[in-house]
């Protein structure tokens, strides 16, 4: 873990360029030529790396999560448990400026897709109970993050971690 693939740097440059450009104008008005010029890569690199601009954003969120995990010695990275809830919310709070840019651009699906790619590492033929649990967490965590972003990060990371612990451990009728 922790070793980057040689072309990951170029892919991150592309994603970073898109993030900068969506601060300036709508995604639909951003051309591939603008992206590759800003990223300092060739068109072929873009098309070899991604099928869409949104896919580049998804890649960036996954890389940022991996980097956060390396720096903070997060043990459980590809699934969710209550022990890493605080890390999850601290990570998202640390990148709130990027989340806000992506939200303003209407690209929340890239965030949701990154959750899927991080949490759903299993094949469909795997243990059904585990697969359902991972799907539940991918959707549930995205839902919590989505509302937290929309509320302007009004709760602390710690409060969000406590909230998810309460939600998971308390029967629905008692919430």
């Amino acid at each position: 873990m922790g070793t980057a693939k040689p072309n990951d740097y170029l892919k991150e440059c592309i994603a970073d360029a898109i993030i900068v450009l969506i601060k300036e104008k709508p995604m639909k008005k951003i051309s591939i030529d603008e992206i590759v010029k800003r990223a300092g890569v060739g068109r072929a690199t873009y098309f070899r790396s991604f099928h869409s601009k949104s896919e580049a954003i998804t890649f960036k969120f996954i890389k940022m999560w991996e980097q956060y995990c390396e720096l903070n010695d997060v043990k459980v990275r590809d699934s969710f448990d209550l022990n890493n809830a605080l890390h999850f919310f601290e990570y998202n709070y640390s990148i709130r400026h990027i989340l806000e840019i992506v939200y303003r651009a209407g690209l929340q699906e890239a965030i949701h897709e990154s959750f899927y790619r991080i949490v759903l590492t299993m094949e469909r033929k795997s243990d059904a109970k585990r697969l359902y649990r991972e799907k539940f967490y991918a959707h549930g965590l995205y839902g919590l993050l989505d509302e937290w972003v929309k509320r302007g990060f009004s709760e602390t990371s710690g409060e969000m971690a406590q909230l998810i612990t309460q939600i998971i451990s308390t029967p629905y009728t008692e919430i």
Side-chain angles (χ1 to χ4, degrees):
M1 270 192 224
T3 57
K5 296 177 186 172
N7 71 343
D8 280 1
Y9 173 75
L10 298 177
K11 291 167 80 171
E12 281 198 80
C13 289
I14 292 168
D16 290 340
I18 294 170
I19 290 168
V20 168
L21 288 166
I22 61 175
K23 289 192 304 190
E24 300 170 6
K25 60 182 166 179
M27 179 72 99
K28 290 181 181 180
K29 294 188 178 198
I30 299 171
S31 70
I32 302 304
D33 287 334
E34 289 175 289
I35 295 168
V36 298
K37 182 179 179 185
R38 182 74 59 110
V41 301
R43 286 177 60 85
T45 300
Y46 174 87
F47 288 110
R48 264 195 319 269
S49 302
F50 302 111
H51 298 296
S52 70
K53 299 170 202 168
S54 182
E55 185 180 352
I57 302 294
T58 297
F59 172 82
K60 181 65 178 177
F61 279 110
I62 293 168
K63 293 307 290 181
M64 287 188 305
W65 171 245
E66 290 171 356
Q67 291 162 359
Y68 175 89
C69 289
E70 284 292 320
L71 290 172
N72 293 281
D73 198 32
V74 176
K75 302 291 185 224
V76 179
R77 300 172 181 202
D78 61 355
S79 62
F80 179 80
D81 67 24
L82 291 176
N83 296 322
N84 72 1
L86 184 58
H87 280 295
F88 172 79
F89 291 108
E90 285 177 344
Y91 156 72
N92 282 291
Y93 188 77
S94 75
I95 63 163
R96 66 190 175 281
H97 62 288
I98 297 171
L99 289 167
E100 290 166 344
I101 292 166
V102 169
Y103 264 72
R104 279 193 299 275
L107 298 170
Q108 295 90 322
E109 78 278 353
I111 300 164
H112 194 236
E113 182 63 24
S114 72
F115 281 37
Y116 261 51
R117 291 189 187 177
I118 291 167
V119 175
L120 296 176
T121 57
M122 300 174 58
E123 292 185 31
R124 291 229 171 273
K125 298 174 189 168
S126 298
D127 175 48
K129 183 178 178 182
R130 183 169 174 213
L131 183 62
Y132 285 127
R133 184 184 67 224
E134 290 184 0
K135 273 261 205 200
F136 173 80
Y137 283 128
H139 283 292
L141 289 171
Y142 172 74
L144 287 171
L145 177 65
D146 181 59
E147 193 58 36
W148 195 33
V149 172
K150 290 175 182 175
R151 290 173 44 86
F153 299 93
S154 57
E155 294 82 13
T156 67
S157 302
E159 289 170 335
M160 291 302 294
Q162 286 177 336
L163 179 64
I164 193 167
T165 300
Q166 291 169 348
I167 289 170
I168 291 171
S169 62
T170 306
Y172 181 75
T173 55
E174 295 178 26
I175 295 177

